Amino acid sequence: MSNKRVYTFGDGKAEGRADMKNLLGGKGANLAEMNLIGVPVPAGFTITTEVCTEYNQKGREAVVELMKAEVEAGIAATEKVMNAKFGSKGEAFPLLLSVRSGARVSMPGMMNTVLNLGMNDDAVKIVAEKSGNEKFAYDSYRRFIHMYGDVVMGVDGEEGEHDPFEMVLDRIKEAKGYDSDADFTAEDLKGIVEEYKAVVKERAGKDFPTDPWEQLWGAICAVFDSWNTPRAILYRQKEQIPEEWGTAVNVQAMVYGNMGETSATGVCFSRDAATGEDQFNGEYLVNAQGEDVVAGVRTPLEITKIGSQRWAERNGTSEADRLAKFPSLEEAMPQLYAELNAVQQKLEDHYSDMQDMEFTVQDGKLWMLQTRNGKRTGAAMVKMAIDMLEEGRIDEKTAVLRQEPNKLDELLHPVFDKEAIAKANVLSKGLPASPGAATGKIVFTADAAEQWAARGEKVILVRRETSPEDLAGMYAAEGILTERGGMTSHAAVVARGMGKCCVSSAAGISVSHTALKIKGVEFKEGDFISLNGTTGEVYEGEVATITPSLDGDFAKIMDLAERHSRMYVRTNADTPADAQTAREFGAKGIGLCRTEHMFFEGDRIWKMREMILAENEEGRKAALAKLLPIQREDFYGILKAMDGFGVTIRLLDPPLHEFTPNDAASQKEMAEKLGVAVEVVKDKVESLHEFNPMLGHRGCRLGNTYPEITEMQARAIIEAACELKKEGFDPKPEIMVPLIGTVKELKMQEEIIRTTAAKVFEEKGMEVDYLVGTMIEIPRAALTADEVAEVAEFFSFGTNDLTQMTFGYSRDDAGKFLPVYIEKGILKQDPFQALDQTGVGQLVEMGCDKGRSARPDLKLGICGEHGGEPSSVEFCHRTGLDYVSCSPFRVPIARLAAAQANLR
Ligand code: PEP
Ligand code: MG
């Protein structure tokens, strides 16, 4: 690590830059950059993320000592720019500070912040005198004690108790008959400050620190500590943020949006974060601090006139009422609005991306407190990239790299069925805080959301407002409905980041711990409601959903992905309909058709069972003959849907017991249906029982012990292909042998396939091209891939089994311990979701290298679940695979990930 721990900024100068996010955190790097491009930013300094890591290793005392001189110099520099004195006794205006976290990527509301630091009995008097606003001074002081008491000294409500500071406020409000905090007089606030100090003394067992330096070190360390709170850890896990990154600490001069009617504070976006529309927007509050906007306690007003008008329309507010009570910043403070508008444009132009900004107006002067690339919905992500590309602001490469592949999911997610929604009863309308449709049972706590979801229920989390403590419940819920809050409040920001539907501030609703009341009607836990996060509507009951149609920008992004990829994407599909869907999403062929899935449908299972019950080859052949036309029809449909593209069809893979019933009643039914004694069925089921079915009689072991199965399947495939070719289609079957561990296993299957194909060709008097290949899903197959490739014309890595067998984790039982392993950090992520590149990855690499050494034109692909997971797709690209294959709805994600891998 470098010896420089502190980077100062202010007055148009900065030691940092925007490209130093890893060291200074996103916020710190952008504060520096804003100074450099002439945007007004209060002076301050950033303590680097490396110091956070150092702090976690060496401990508080050692690290405070190491950074002391630099922090002192940072304060001196800030004092100079701001013309104020930290710990002033009256000789100058007191320097008051905000101390905030700032990681490489934003973690909204996850870590600690302390505002108004430096306040004490001396400072408050000077601020009161010099600002001529005693009420403001004491209000800042009491806010500081509250925040510092909570964040640094751990004074908050005990389990089940209200916040003790809030209780003081509530008692005084009630005694004086006030409606809101705004009614407190300066004298009230002086009394509150003293009471707050007493609360701290009683709860923390020591006096509230009056020395500003003691306050500062306390706050800096509290920010570092907040990197490791349970909620931050949970967020990091979910968002895959490494622990080693650490957070920076930004110490910056305070500016005040609560100095009176010429002060304000707000949050704004240079484009619409929900839809992507190129429309400046945001929310503000007059005479308020930033946390008032973010916490959603007071419902903020719109910044632009057009935004305000749209808001009024949604709410049914008349134009006269809107202007009188809810004016936009554009109308209320036109001069400032013009300045802010110019700054937001400058920032967007500079960063060439949508900016999410925080600002404060102190007594008529505009200050920018933060800018960052704004979080956005999947739809907005696609639209903004295409718009900016077409505006000439970014190039194709940037447009592709700016996509988060997993976010495309949101575009592919269900919307409400039109007919169902037309009949549904609208209960209320709120802010469309995060788009999408959701339906589920009402729960009122995050815990309940988690518990209900764990048992498979779909839930809607209904809260007065959400806070970071609700995070796990928000992840678990289908959607979120809140009574309060605006578009930039916690619920909205976090839900959008998660891509989860959210409706906030719905009209006429009230939420308690046990009930949701909407216009007089009461809803209890477990009642169904439905939310439309795109329009803000709340519906009674369960409303059916359907898959959305995709717009032109989506197609343009997919087209860019296509042009910038080396690998192509296939799909895992077992039916013509799935194949068709995937083809519409851009799949170029099928990477895995699991033929066993075809045997479960309707009547077919009986023919399969007949084959299983057969006592000898003769009997099996008779049963298989009945399955042949059905299989042929299946393959015909699938090959036709993927006309012109390769279709990899895998021979029967699962152990046969999967096709037989276990319970007595079903066994009896099977016996009756197949005309045998029930004992015969029972004996068969028993004889098929295996201790380790995943390692048992399955895959090519079936085909090698019962060659007639392979023969039937090969015949069905080749006959279907011949039929299609005769009709003028271009079928490209690729017959895949599963679960081989030795080349001999493959060789024997290959012989059956080729002999059968030759027979069919002779019978039909025609030929079709086809390939024979294998899955590489047993470690031994990867280790001997050069031998295997002597026979196989293609490899498809079955990374589900390969992971299972390399780790020795049963795919079906790993759920019992994997979550604990991830929680304890034994594994960083579930290896069945994201390919384990260091371990399993080596086998894939070895399989490719050895395979190609024996057969240079060997076709290589992957068909395990990893084929649709972006980090695994990246690995496949690096390893030189020709394609990845994944489920139809992940095809667009894989296509984008493939392009990104190629462009990085
Ligand atoms: C695999 O093992 O990765 C695979 C695709 O096959 P299945 O999941 O059907 O075992
Ligand atoms: Mg497998």
Side-chain angles (χ1 to χ4, degrees), residues 650 653 698 739 775 777 798 800-801 811:
R650 179 176 73 183
D653 182 55
R698 60 171 286 221
L739 216 78
M775 294 193 74
E777 51 185 343
N800 302 334
D801 272 310
R811 279 160 75 170

Side-chain angles (χ1 to χ4, degrees), residues 507-729:
I509 80 165
S510 79
V511 178
S512 72
H513 280 300
T514 52
L516 161 68
K517 274 197 190 144
I518 307 184
K519 296 169 187 157
V521 186
E522 195 169 294
F523 296 84
K524 292 254 181 266
E525 188 175 59
D527 292 345
F528 266 105
I529 49 164
S530 301
L531 306 178
N532 185 338
T534 314
T535 62
E537 272 146 338
V538 181
Y539 296 90
E540 192 171 4
E542 196 178 7
V543 181
T545 54
I546 49 156
T547 311
S549 61
L550 298 163
D551 73 359
D553 288 335
F554 177 81
K556 286 181 189 169
I557 277 289
M558 285 294 115
D559 179 53
L560 285 182
E562 182 80 32
R563 284 193 287 112
H564 290 280
S565 302
R566 180 190 60 74
M567 282 194 309
Y568 64 102
V569 178
R570 291 188 175 195
T571 192
N572 294 356
D574 318 318
T575 65
D578 283 357
Q580 194 51 43
T581 306
R583 195 170 179 153
E584 278 155 25
F585 284 145
K588 293 205 166 125
I590 289 182
L592 175 64
C593 169
R594 291 176 165 103
T595 51
E596 61 270 19
H597 290 176
M598 300 166 170
F599 295 127
F600 284 97
E601 217 177 280
D603 241 18
R604 302 164 176 208
I605 188 75
W606 295 108
K607 301 188 172 73
M608 188 66 186
R609 286 175 176 171
E610 197 181 320
M611 192 236 6
I612 292 170
L613 270 191
E615 280 169 20
N616 49 33
E617 190 183 325
E618 219 46 22
R620 274 193 300 276
K621 279 192 166 162
L624 285 164
K626 296 184 195 163
L627 281 166
L628 175 70
I630 303 172
Q631 284 263 277
R632 189 172 51 223
E633 198 183 318
D634 288 334
F635 298 141
Y636 175 90
I638 287 173
L639 286 164
K640 190 170 171 180
M642 274 296 169
D643 186 37
F645 290 130
V647 173
T648 305
I649 299 170
R650 179 176 73 183
L651 302 177
L652 191 67
D653 182 55
L656 294 181
H657 78 84
E658 288 191 12
F659 300 96
T660 58
N662 283 319
D663 61 292
S666 310
Q667 287 177 356
K668 190 160 164 264
E669 187 196 0
M670 178 165 161
E672 280 165 11
K673 199 135 187 163
L674 299 180
V676 294
V678 74
E679 276 66 37
V680 175
V681 173
K682 275 193 187 147
D683 285 352
K684 191 74 196 178
V685 170
E686 229 158 76
S687 76
L688 290 176
H689 172 81
E690 292 178 315
F691 288 103
N692 262 319
M694 274 287 163
L695 302 178
H697 195 184
R698 60 171 286 221
C700 67
R701 299 159 204 171
L702 284 171
N704 278 324
T705 46
Y706 303 135
E708 53 279 8
I709 301 180
T710 304
E711 208 179 301
M712 181 279 283
Q713 291 200 295
R715 176 171 276 278
I717 295 165
I718 299 295
E719 285 184 354
C722 286
E723 218 169 302
L724 282 163
K725 191 173 174 184
K726 236 194 275 166
E727 292 169 24
F729 292 97

